[in-house]
Amino acid sequence: MDVRTKDIAALGRRVAAHQDAALERLARPRAADRLQAIYRKEAALSLRERAAPSRRRLGFALAAACVAASALFFVALSRPRDALTYRVDGSPGVVGRWVAADASRVGLDFSDGSRVDLAPGTRARVTEVGPLGAGVLLERGSLHVRVVHRDDTRWVVAGGPFEVHVIGTEFDVTWDTEAEELAVSMSAGRVRVLGSCVEPPGRAVAAPESIRLTCAAPRAAAPQAPPPAPDPEASPPADPPALPPSASAAAPAQAAPPSPPARAEAPSAAVPAGGWRAHLAAGKLAEALADVELLGIDVVLERAAGAELVELGSAARLARKPDVAARFYQTARARFAGSDAAAVAAYHLGRMAFDGRGAWAEAERWFAVYLAERPRGALAPEALGRSLECARNLKLHARARELAARYLAAYPNGAHAGLAATIAGGAD
């Protein structure tokens, strides 16, 4: 190291020593004071952060609020809705109770705003209600139905073997018990008609369409009866055995046979040959029954075909002549055992016991006969449903539960499904 370098190093040491001495003479805060200053600074920063939160923290807060609102929304959606209620002309309605409209219309107002009007002569009942809709069973007559549209609405109007499934629409529906025919006339919207004789997935009907459906055997079956049957009424000699009661009632001592048949013809003078058949074919049941009574019920019981006997029995039932109706139905079963007519006659005998006399045990026996003879018949859903009602009314709890299980398995969406579910669940 040369002389110049040594001098520079010595000068640097002297300058450093002077600086250290100057720093020692400066006032330095105590360690406690320095810590307090640090604490005050941190507190000030914290206050500013709470007064004006950062965007990130604000975003987190908004997200949390959205999550909370969504949770409340889904809780509200998942909360079960109450079942509909309804009123019958202003009075509280009772599920399962028959409503009959005699001389004037009767209105059923539902809590969702829907309405069902029964035309005069109509008999119906609400079979079930739920949060999404109701089930209505049309026993006979016509309904005007206006269902308020909602995406999840579920309404069913049943008539005979048919079910009209409704989402939201307005229409008229008629169930003709004698012709076993359902008529639907659309005013607005669209429905789907299901039935044992309707191919899946059912028949769609949209406004302004109208349809008629039946699962019954064609009425053309009536004229298939042997053509000679009406002939004795006009020409007795052609079939002498046809009028044995009248012939025997005439003077048996007569030597000449033509005279007694001439007197036996007297009752039919006012009745054209085959007149009651023509009235049946035209659906004029009252006129057909009047002709039969004028001609003689015993005569027709021997000559009528099975379907004719059933129709005449229904005519007598509607005329409030149950004894006469029972004779026609029983004769159909005796003369045409095993036929469709015999099975339908059993069903109607059950209906008479059910509706007319409240004879639940007798009614269930006849419904059981129908179900045994026609387990997949057009009237099977109604026969099984009414059997269930009979067992419930008789307080045969085990039998009712058995029938309820059968009904739910066969007709889970049927008119009696609500009652069946209640009984199957143990509420007898």
Side-chain angles (χ1 to χ4, degrees), residues 74-100:
F74 285 113
V75 167
L77 284 182
S78 61
R79 184 167 60 98
R81 285 184 279 178
D82 294 333
L84 299 183
T85 59
Y86 69 101
R87 303 182 73 82
V88 181
D89 274 356
S91 300
V94 178
V95 174
R97 178 176 295 174
W98 287 107
V99 179

Side-chain angles (χ1 to χ4, degrees), residues 117-145:
D117 287 298
L118 283 68
T122 298
R123 177 177 162 93
R125 59 175 169 168
V126 177
T127 56
E128 59 182 319
V129 291
L132 305 180
V136 180
L137 174 62
L138 175 59
E139 170 77 5
R140 64 170 182 267
S142 300
L143 302 175
H144 181 78
V145 182

Side-chain angles (χ1 to χ4, degrees), residues 196-343:
S196 58
C197 61
V198 181
E199 292 294 329
R203 173 71 182 274
V205 192
E209 187 180 3
S210 297
I211 63 166
R212 291 180 178 273
L213 299 171
T214 181
C215 293
R219 296 180 69 91
Q224 293 175 2
D231 292 342
E233 300 173 13
S235 305
D239 189 5
L243 296 172
S246 300
S248 60
Q254 292 283 346
S259 296
R263 286 192 294 272
E265 249 182 80
S268 62
V271 183
W276 61 269
R277 281 198 170 97
H279 283 141
L280 277 187
K284 299 178 179 179
L285 299 184
E287 291 86 344
L289 182 62
D291 286 350
V292 167
E293 290 176 330
L294 187 60
L295 179 64
I297 292 177
D298 289 333
V299 173
V300 176
L301 287 174
E302 294 179 359
R303 300 175 184 174
E308 293 171 337
L309 289 169
V310 172
E311 286 189 285
L312 290 171
S314 297
R317 178 169 53 81
L318 290 176
R320 298 184 179 180
K321 298 179 178 180
D323 294 340
V324 176
R327 290 184 66 191
F328 283 113
Y329 292 143
Q330 294 282 13
T331 301
R333 292 197 54 75
R335 289 184 53 209
F336 301 95
S339 68
D340 286 340

